[in-house]
């Protein structure tokens, strides 16, 4: 987690008062999954790391499972997106229908603006 | 002892007291000793989990087939639409994805075995297998063919990797032959695998 806890205006809070991070991306945004290899419990599949896709929807904010796995609260909650990848982006040698897609749930801290869309 | 030999049969799992099995037994025994719950509660819960099957999912699909407004609500917010029918979804959010003549959906959890248990019961062994989990994102048509499911070449396949807090159920296409049928008749046409997307309902 970033060490920004306590910065005013940084987090929102849900009706129960739990902190969540604001969503940085909207449906239709092109994003890339960070090509990171952190140790420990990770819920971003290996096969999409470093790959680009399009945000299909924002699912809400959820406690970070990479923190929950170690008995920590996982707050502020991370926005969770469904990202749509072309199968050929994931597998350059994909042999089935070129229009096929894979949708994967990815937490915001794993996403960055796709390189070709950066200002 | 002579050299190691191969018995060619599976080992009984209960012979292996693994790290996590030991931890589960220890935690369960402590909770029972402290009176948090009883052994009877554990037995009852396991029995309820084992007894649940895809009939709840079939009920949701049959209702969506008969009521277009409900279908739209189900696709917009799966959790709320299922609760409308008096069923509880639990803490995870349900996303319902619709098959059309142009798009076929199939569900997997490549990381483990996430599955909409509240609607479909316990996942089948193949859903948890390494083979299904690794292949269906890589060559979905080849996997569907193993299930006897052939799709027209121009259909787009959308694979849903259930990696986090959502759970997915497929809303299959209603077979044309079912026109005018009652909810009970429709439910009988629905198969578990059609709700995961490894099958279609063609009769």
């Amino acid at each position: 987690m970033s060490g920004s806890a306590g910065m005013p205006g940084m987090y929102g809070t849900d009706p129960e008062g739990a902190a969540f991070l604001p969503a940085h991306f909207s449906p239709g945004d092109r994003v890339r999954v960070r090509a990171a290899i952190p140790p420990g419990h990770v819920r971003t599949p290996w096969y999409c790391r470093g790959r680009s896709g399009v945000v299909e929807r924002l699912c809400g904010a959820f406690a970070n499972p990479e923190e929950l796995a170690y008995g920590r609260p996982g707050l502020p909650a991370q926005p969770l997106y469904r990202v749509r990848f072309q199968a050929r982006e994931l597998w350059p040698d994909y042999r089935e229908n070129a229009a096929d897609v894979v949708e994967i749930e990815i937490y915001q801290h794993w996403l960055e603006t796709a390189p070709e869309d950066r200002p | 002892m002579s050299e190691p030999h191969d018995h060619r049969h599976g080992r009984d799992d209960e012979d292996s007291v693994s790290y996590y099995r030991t931890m589960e037994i220890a935690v369960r025994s402590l909770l029972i000793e402290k009176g948090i719950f009883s052994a009877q509660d554990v037995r009852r819960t396991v029995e309820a989990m084992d007894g649940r099957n895809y009939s709840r999912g079939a009920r949701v699909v049959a209702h969506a087939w008969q009521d277009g407004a409900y279908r739209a609500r189900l696709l917009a917010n799966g959790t709320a639409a299922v609760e409308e029918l008096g069923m509880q979804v639990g803490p995870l959010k349900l996303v319902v994805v619709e098959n059309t003549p142009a798009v076929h959906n199939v569900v997997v959890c490549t990381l483990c075995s996430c599955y909409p248990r509240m609607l479909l019961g316990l996942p089948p062994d193949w859903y948890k297998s390494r083979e299904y989990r690794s292949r269906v994102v890589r060559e979905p048509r080849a996997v569907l063919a193993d299930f006897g499911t052939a799709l027209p070449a121009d259909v787009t396949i959308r694979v849903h990797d259930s990696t986090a807090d959502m759970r997915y159920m497929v809303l299959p296409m209603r077979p044309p032959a079912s026109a005018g049928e009652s909810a009970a008749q429709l439910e009988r046409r629905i198969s578990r695998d059609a709700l995961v997307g490894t099958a279609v309902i063609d009769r």
Side-chain angles (χ1 to χ4, degrees):
Chain A
M1 301 301 297
S2 66
S4 46
M7 279 175 63
M10 184 72 189
Y11 306 138
T13 48
D14 71 12
E16 275 90 48
F20 66 88
L21 287 165
H24 293 160
F25 302 108
S26 309
D29 284 357
R30 285 191 52 79
V31 289
R32 184 169 73 173
V33 182
R34 286 169 45 222
I37 312 175
H41 181 81
V42 167
R43 297 211 59 91
T44 300
W46 178 265
Y47 69 92
C48 69
R49 296 194 203 166
R51 307 294 181 177
S52 297
V54 173
V55 171
E56 191 270 345
R57 75 174 77 171
L58 172 64
C59 303
F62 295 87
N64 183 352
E66 295 168 9
E67 298 286 313
L68 292 176
Y70 300 100
R72 296 193 284 259
L75 298 174
Q78 281 285 347
L80 176 69
Y81 302 91
R82 275 172 71 197
V83 180
R84 179 176 292 177
F85 299 88
Q86 294 296 316
R88 282 192 174 172
E89 164 73 7
L90 299 172
W91 320 107
D93 62 346
Y94 189 74
R95 288 189 303 267
E96 299 188 355
N97 189 332
D100 291 349
V101 297
V102 179
E103 291 187 3
I104 310 174
E105 288 164 51
I106 304 177
Y107 294 91
Q108 180 163 280
H109 63 293
W110 273 93
L111 295 175
E112 54 196 17
T113 300
E116 62 273 25
D117 289 357
R118 284 191 197 138
Chain B
M1 281 295 285
S2 59
E3 64 197 55
H5 59 285
D6 181 357
H7 277 303
R8 295 273 169 212
H9 56 67
R11 239 188 16 214
D12 276 350
D13 275 346
E14 43 273 56
D15 290 343
S16 59
V17 183
S18 65
Y19 173 83
Y20 289 108
R21 192 172 154 79
T22 306
M23 186 166 73
E24 184 276 323
I25 293 167
V27 171
R28 171 162 44 91
S29 308
L30 274 171
L31 290 168
I32 290 170
E33 272 175 41
K34 286 174 181 288
I36 309 293
F37 53 64
S38 67
Q40 173 80 300
D41 293 330
V42 175
R43 186 206 60 73
R44 219 180 270 125
T45 303
V46 171
E47 187 179 42
M49 281 167 60
D50 287 347
R52 221 180 285 150
N53 64 26
Y54 69 97
S55 63
R56 289 152 59 97
R59 205 180 126 211
V60 172
V61 167
H63 196 66
W65 280 350
Q66 291 189 304
D67 180 341
Y70 180 77
R71 183 178 135 271
R73 292 199 297 281
L74 181 67
L75 296 173
N77 185 338
T79 303
V82 165
E83 286 174 352
E84 254 185 67
L85 299 186
M87 296 185 253
Q88 288 309 307
V89 173
L92 298 158
K93 281 203 191 174
L94 179 72
V95 175
V96 177
V97 290
E98 182 185 34
N99 285 348
T100 68
V103 176
H104 179 85
N105 295 280
V106 57
V107 180
V108 64
C109 173
T110 59
L111 297 178
C112 46
S113 58
C114 298
Y115 188 76
R117 294 168 185 232
M118 58 289 202
L119 292 178
L120 304 189
L122 293 176
D125 287 345
W126 58 258
Y127 186 84
K128 298 183 278 187
S129 72
R130 193 166 284 245
E131 185 187 351
Y132 177 75
R133 286 160 45 215
S134 55
R135 284 182 64 214
V136 78
V137 290
R138 187 80 171 85
E139 45 175 16
R141 272 181 187 72
V143 171
L144 293 186
D146 288 345
F147 282 88
T149 302
L151 298 174
D154 61 344
V155 169
T156 298
I157 295 189
R158 207 173 273 165
V159 180
H160 301 270
D161 192 352
S162 175
T163 46
D165 296 81
M166 307 291 117
R167 295 292 178 271
Y168 297 89
M169 184 176 78
V170 174
L171 174 58
M173 281 195 286
R174 179 174 176 165
S178 68
E181 287 185 347
S182 69
Q185 287 171 311
L186 291 174
E187 283 172 36
R188 278 198 292 279
R189 289 180 180 271
I190 296 164
S191 72
R192 176 196 65 196
D193 291 0
L195 305 181
V196 181
T198 48
V200 294
I201 299 172
D202 47 12
R203 54 183 180 178

